[in-house]
Amino acid sequence: MKFSATLLLSALATSSAFVAQQPSPSIRLGSTEMYARKAFITGNWKLNPQTKDEAIELATGIASAVTDDSPCDVALFVPFPYIESVQETVGDKVIIGAEATTPQINGAFTGGVSPVMLKSIGCTWALAGHSERRVIFKESDEEINEQCKMLIEHDMNVVLCIGETLEEFEKELVGAVCEIQLKKGLAGIDKKDLDKVTIAYEPVWAIGTGKVATPEIAQSVHETIRGILKGMYGEKIADSTRILYGGSVSPESVDGLVAKPDIDGALVGGASLNAEGFGRIINHESE
């Protein structure tokens, strides 16, 4: 499937399309059949906030937005120093995960945090392959794959992030980039363990820029990703795997995105640092 630069530039010109613990199942209409995929809204705090007290205050506000009527599972990926405090703050209303991990279990790896360490404090989720880890910290597909395998080996859950740069988008390489990153990230992972994997599609050109892929663009890529998963693991696994969209998701853009059949939620960056705004994203409405 091709994605042209013309489509992106047209959307930019017109638009409002670019607006500056295991989960329980719920029926959503998939691209090929009705399948149980409950929406999953996740927040990635990155290097924020600056103090534990601020983290607790933010977590308190977010947890208050999660009610029995909220249409989704909710997770926050927070800096290592805040994990336990935020866990205590939100209780069982919100899953708390780590923003990164290392595949090594022990040894001379200064600054590393292993899956075993995380699990020992009750943290059973982590991100892998976020574009900032790929670009800033130079993590390779092979390193990301080792992280995924080590998390799964220790019975933890991973959100594997994949996505293309603007240059790759304009060259119509979206499908190829996603396929390479997906296949390399999941190499050696058996289909029986895919229930521990969530995929997050994050176009790098939309992260922190205020640009959000139109629901139509995002849906096309998500459908492609699900097709790649089908080729790797079969239709049942592909239809049960949740694929999130990440890239400047906002209270204004979330409804249109999650209404699409192959978009199962969001990985939210900056907007997850505002409790009221993130609460609106959590309690989104499918159009």
Side-chain angles (χ1 to χ4, degrees):
M1 182 176 294
K2 293 187 176 181
F3 307 88
S4 70
T6 303
L7 181 58
L8 171 61
L9 296 174
S10 173
L12 279 166
T14 57
S15 218
S16 71
F18 288 83
V19 185
Q21 40 138 30
Q22 287 289 349
S24 56
S26 176
I27 296 297
R28 282 174 60 91
L29 180 60
S31 57
T32 56
E33 64 177 331
M34 291 293 285
Y35 206 92
R37 291 198 308 267
K38 188 176 183 181
F40 194 19
I41 298 297
T42 65
N44 176 20
W45 285 0
K46 306 187 181 184
L47 193 59
N48 303 288
Q50 295 304 296
T51 69
K52 184 177 80 170
D53 288 345
E54 291 173 337
I56 290 172
E57 181 180 3
L58 177 57
T60 300
I62 290 172
S64 69
V66 181
T67 70
D68 291 341
D69 295 325
S70 295
C72 58
D73 295 311
V74 181
L76 291 172
F77 294 91
V78 309
F80 297 126
Y82 304 151
I83 289 175
E84 288 187 284
S85 297
V86 172
Q87 284 174 327
E88 293 172 3
T89 299
V90 303
D92 61 2
K93 297 178 75 173
V94 179
I95 295 164
I96 303 302
E99 296 179 2
T101 186
T102 52
Q104 297 84 11
I105 298 303
N106 53 47
F109 301 98
T110 301
V113 176
S114 74
V116 173
M117 292 175 178
L118 293 172
K119 195 170 181 181
S120 74
I121 60 170
C123 177
T124 58
W125 283 78
L127 298 177
H130 191 280
S131 61
E132 290 160 6
R133 301 296 304 182
R134 294 177 186 269
V135 175
I136 299 172
F137 295 94
K138 308 301 180 185
E139 291 184 355
S140 67
D141 286 310
E142 290 71 25
E143 289 173 308
I144 291 161
N145 174 241
E146 289 301 317
Q147 293 166 20
C148 291
K149 290 194 292 187
M150 192 59 69
L151 286 162
I152 290 170
E153 182 178 322
H154 288 86
D155 199 30
M156 294 179 65
N157 305 279
V158 60
V159 177
L160 172 61
C161 304
I162 61 174
E164 79 289 350
T165 64
L166 180 59
E167 181 181 6
E168 290 166 337
F169 183 98
E170 290 176 337
K171 290 181 177 179
E172 301 182 345
L173 296 173
V174 181
V177 170
C178 288
E179 182 168 13
I180 289 169
Q181 292 181 350
L182 196 61
K183 288 185 173 179
K184 287 189 172 182
L186 296 177
I189 296 175
D190 192 90
K191 66 190 302 181
K192 66 179 176 58
D193 293 317
L194 260 288
D195 61 342
K196 299 181 180 69
V197 177
T198 297
I199 305 300
Y201 166 62
E202 44 162 27
V204 179
W205 48 266
I207 298 173
T209 64
K211 299 174 183 177
V212 182
T214 64
E216 291 72 26
I217 291 173
Q219 164 60 24
S220 293
V221 182
H222 279 233
E223 185 177 3
T224 296
I225 292 169
R226 205 173 299 284
I228 296 167
L229 287 171
K230 180 180 176 181
M232 294 172 68
Y233 293 105
E235 187 170 3
K236 183 176 180 180
I237 296 296
D239 283 338
S240 63
T241 301
R242 295 196 286 193
I243 306 173
L244 315 182
Y245 171 79
S248 297
V249 177
S250 69
E252 293 76 28
S253 66
V254 66
D255 292 349
L257 289 164
V258 299
K260 294 299 183 180
D262 288 294
I263 300 177
D264 303 314
L267 176 59
V268 183
S272 68
L273 300 174
N274 179 288
E276 182 179 357
F278 193 55
R280 170 63 182 83
I281 293 173
I282 290 169
N283 294 296
H284 58 269
E285 298 178 5
S286 296
E287 294 179 345

